[in-house]
Amino acid sequence: MMAIENFGKSQGAPGGNASTTNARRAGRRSRTVYEDLQRDIMLGDIPPLSAVLEMDIAERFGCSQSTAREALIALDHDGLVERLPHRGTFVADSRADDAREMIMVRREIECRGVPRIMQRYGSLLRNNLLEIIMSMVRAARGGDAYLLSQLDRDFHLKLYEAANLPSVQPILRRCLIHNHRFKILNSKERRDLVETAERHEAIVETLNSGDVNEAVAALSHHITTIVEFGPSILPEDIPQRR
């Protein structure tokens, strides 16, 4: 998993010494800086190809340069920045060709996982997915496109967890990040956020049916019908959403 997940974790016992406490505090600070910078990059507030300086980050967040560096390393793991030796750190580009390939990789990963997911699908996972959808609808009604994007990613990662392929999970996570970033940066008009949230219900419905082929078709259609690419990025034999 990405480096940020290990920030602040200590091998010491609870209630340890001051250095352990400080390490945990620094870890939480690094996560906060990472999450804020990720949001800025995803929303385009820090545009593609922009230079990002540790000194500027430290000044903005009132943190040390080592904390800023840890956050940038985590963003590098996401593929959101590039750390180039002797040149500095730059925000990664967001290109249509890359986005298309990541959508296809994502589709392959998620759809191939459906038979394994079906073997483990039950009320607990269904309820978790429905709870995420309800949170998505609330975010959509509140006009929070970024929170909706986060929850959308959570939905797909939670679903894929049931495939029990932990080495593949980080690849899917990275695809999701870049798919959503491209979508946010290239939305020409204000999207119907509630519709974006509610279209996940069709995936749960097909999972409930127990029909693997229907679930694969619904998930494939969901992934590949990206408005920025037109009706679908796949050939015209894609099944239509019901």
Side-chain angles (χ1 to χ4, degrees):
M1 275 292 183
M2 62 178 185
I4 197 72
E5 293 181 352
N6 295 318
F7 286 176
K9 289 186 178 178
S10 169
Q11 300 301 318
N17 58 30
S19 62
T20 299
T21 301
N22 289 339
R24 287 174 176 167
R25 186 176 298 117
R28 289 193 295 270
R29 187 63 175 148
S30 297
R31 178 179 286 276
T32 298
V33 174
Y34 159 78
E35 289 174 347
D36 285 358
L37 289 174
Q38 187 195 65
R39 178 188 179 97
D40 288 348
I41 292 171
M42 294 281 287
L43 293 177
D45 293 337
I46 305 179
L49 306 180
S50 298
V52 185
L53 302 178
E54 291 177 7
M55 186 182 307
D56 290 346
I57 294 172
E59 182 177 351
R60 171 184 167 183
F61 291 96
C63 65
S64 67
Q65 282 192 233
S66 63
T67 296
R69 188 175 306 117
E70 288 178 348
L72 288 176
I73 289 171
L75 290 167
D76 187 35
H77 279 237
D78 289 344
L80 290 174
V81 302
E82 293 182 86
R83 292 170 59 78
L84 304 176
H86 312 298
R87 291 182 57 191
T89 302
F90 299 86
V91 176
D93 202 357
S94 181
R95 305 185 311 167
D97 287 345
D98 289 304
R100 283 179 184 272
E101 290 304 312
M102 284 200 170
I103 287 171
M104 299 306 293
V105 171
R106 174 189 164 192
R107 172 180 174 265
E108 186 74 5
I109 290 173
E110 291 195 66
C111 290
R112 284 177 63 89
V114 169
R116 296 174 61 91
I117 291 168
M118 283 296 204
Q119 293 174 9
R120 299 169 177 83
Y121 186 74
S123 59
L124 180 59
L125 178 55
R126 180 181 66 248
N127 291 339
N128 286 337
L129 295 175
L130 291 175
E131 286 174 7
I132 294 173
I133 292 174
M134 286 190 291
S135 296
M136 291 172 67
V137 171
R138 287 194 293 270
R141 288 174 177 163
D144 193 334
Y146 183 69
L147 177 57
L148 175 59
S149 167
Q150 287 182 303
L151 292 166
D152 192 323
R153 286 177 270 152
D154 288 346
F155 176 94
H156 289 274
L157 289 170
K158 173 59 67 176
L159 176 61
Y160 194 72
E161 278 180 12
N164 194 28
L165 295 168
S167 296
V168 182
Q169 188 96 350
I171 302 171
L172 175 58
R173 181 182 177 280
R174 185 160 175 163
C175 288
L176 286 163
I177 287 172
H178 288 275
N179 286 170
H180 280 254
R181 181 185 180 215
F182 183 85
K183 186 172 185 176
I184 291 169
L185 293 180
N186 291 277
S187 292
K188 301 296 189 298
E189 301 175 358
R190 184 175 178 82
R191 292 179 290 131
D192 186 332
L193 299 182
V194 174
E195 181 183 3
T196 298
E198 291 179 340
R199 69 191 298 256
H200 291 76
E201 294 172 356
I203 299 172
V204 177
E205 288 173 4
T206 56
L207 291 169
N208 291 340
S209 75
D211 188 314
V212 171
N213 291 332
E214 277 195 19
V216 168
L219 194 54
S220 174
H221 185 270
H222 177 92
I223 293 167
T224 57
T225 49
I226 307 297
V227 64
E228 286 71 27
F229 289 118
S232 174
I233 67 166
L234 293 183
E236 48 192 19
D237 62 346
I238 281 295
Q240 296 299 309
R241 184 174 56 176
R242 298 182 178 183

